[in-house]
Amino acid sequence: MNQNEMKQLAAREAVKYVKDDAVLGVGTGSTVNFFIDQLAAVRDRIRGAVSSSEASTRRLKELGIPVFDLNDITGFDIYVDGADEINPDKEMIKGGGAALTREKIVAAVASTFICIVDETKTVDVLGRFPLPVEVIPMAREHVARQLAALGGRPVWRQDVVTDNGNHIIDVHDLKITRPLELEEQISMIAGVVTVGIFARRKADVLIVGAGDGVRIS
Ligand code: 5RP
């Protein structure tokens, strides 16, 4: 089974969590795209979605699924999103697709975060995947120096401007043994909009598409 087939397996499983009349939080990325495609089949029994990126909004609308402004929604049941890495405590690195800020916001409003990944994303210790940090453009070099002082190797993702008009720094060579502590530390740096560690708001349910089937924890 290839990686896309494993992603599809996880996405199909996540659709089983969709309740009638639900508003769904929808993440961003190739795994979530499979989930959005699956939503077409249940479109008539859901109210709509809150989206974490312009890309997911476009895809949802193309399928005729209404997309709500988060400010008009007081709360909803499930948020479905992928991850770049997830550890056994269900803490994650996210932001490979540069949508981390809106993802963190939508996840904060949801009661249950369902993370869907293929088995290559599960790790014991976070940090092999370079940690994305969204920054205000004028603060980029300042933030990069602070990240280097923390032991990382910051690299500006030069070809990307986020949906919020900001820049992304990818921090290489970090071994993240205390995700919550590092999330708080990096969030405090002036100019940081969002760090791609999701430990304070980690996943509640993990669905892994693997070569031998689906694993749920
Ligand atoms: C986007 C993300 C994605 O969830 C993450 O990058 C995983 O993407 P994919 O499903 O394409 O592997 O955080 O900002």
Side-chain angles (χ1 to χ4, degrees):
M1 197 181 286
N2 65 35
Q3 199 177 359
N4 273 341
E5 288 168 331
M6 293 191 281
K7 288 178 182 185
Q8 257 170 317
L9 213 57
R12 264 202 301 275
E13 190 66 28
V15 176
K16 297 181 185 166
Y17 290 76
V18 175
K19 294 188 183 141
D20 287 352
D21 208 33
V23 172
L24 300 170
V26 175
T28 299
S30 56
T31 316
V32 164
N33 283 344
F34 288 125
F35 175 72
I36 295 175
D37 294 345
Q38 294 286 323
L39 284 180
V42 298
R43 174 177 51 199
D44 294 338
R45 65 174 183 83
I46 62 172
R47 263 200 289 155
V50 173
S51 168
S52 64
S53 65
E54 299 299 332
S56 289
T57 298
R58 267 195 305 276
R59 205 174 180 99
L60 286 158
K61 286 185 172 169
E62 274 165 20
L63 287 173
I65 297 170
V67 177
F68 301 113
D69 185 326
L70 182 63
N71 291 308
D72 296 330
I73 305 287
T74 46
F76 51 91
D77 207 16
I78 64 168
Y79 175 63
V80 178
D81 200 356
D84 299 302
E85 281 185 352
I86 183 159
N87 72 14
D89 289 329
K90 301 192 182 78
E91 297 163 324
M92 297 163 279
I93 286 184
K94 292 184 47 54
L100 63 167
T101 296
R102 295 190 190 188
E103 290 173 341
K104 214 175 246 198
I105 295 167
V106 180
V109 181
S111 309
T112 304
F113 187 140
I114 299 177
C115 179
I116 52 174
V117 293
D118 65 84
E119 64 181 348
T120 66
K121 308 288 189 63
T122 60
V123 298
D124 286 329
V125 178
L126 300 174
R128 194 181 54 208
F129 190 91
L131 175 64
V133 181
E134 179 166 352
V135 299
I136 298 288
M138 71 166 284
R140 193 185 61 240
E141 290 306 313
H142 164 69
V143 173
R145 286 189 292 274
Q146 303 299 306
L147 293 169
L150 290 173
R153 185 169 56 84
V155 177
W156 175 23
R157 208 186 294 177
Q158 297 206 34
D159 54 340
V160 168
V161 174
T162 70
D163 285 349
N164 315 304
N166 295 319
H167 290 177
I168 297 281
I169 296 172
D170 294 306
V171 193
H172 297 247
D173 303 336
L174 286 175
K175 194 172 168 201
I176 307 174
T177 48
R178 293 197 184 91
L180 187 57
E181 237 171 72
L182 192 63
E183 180 178 11
E184 284 173 356
Q185 207 173 357
I186 295 177
S187 299
M188 294 297 287
I189 300 170
V192 167
V193 177
T194 303
V195 55
I197 299 174
F198 282 54
R200 176 177 285 276
R201 205 306 169 229
K202 56 186 185 175
D204 301 296
V205 177
L206 170 60
I207 302 177
V208 181
D212 57 354
V214 176
R215 292 195 292 266
I216 303 171
S217 56

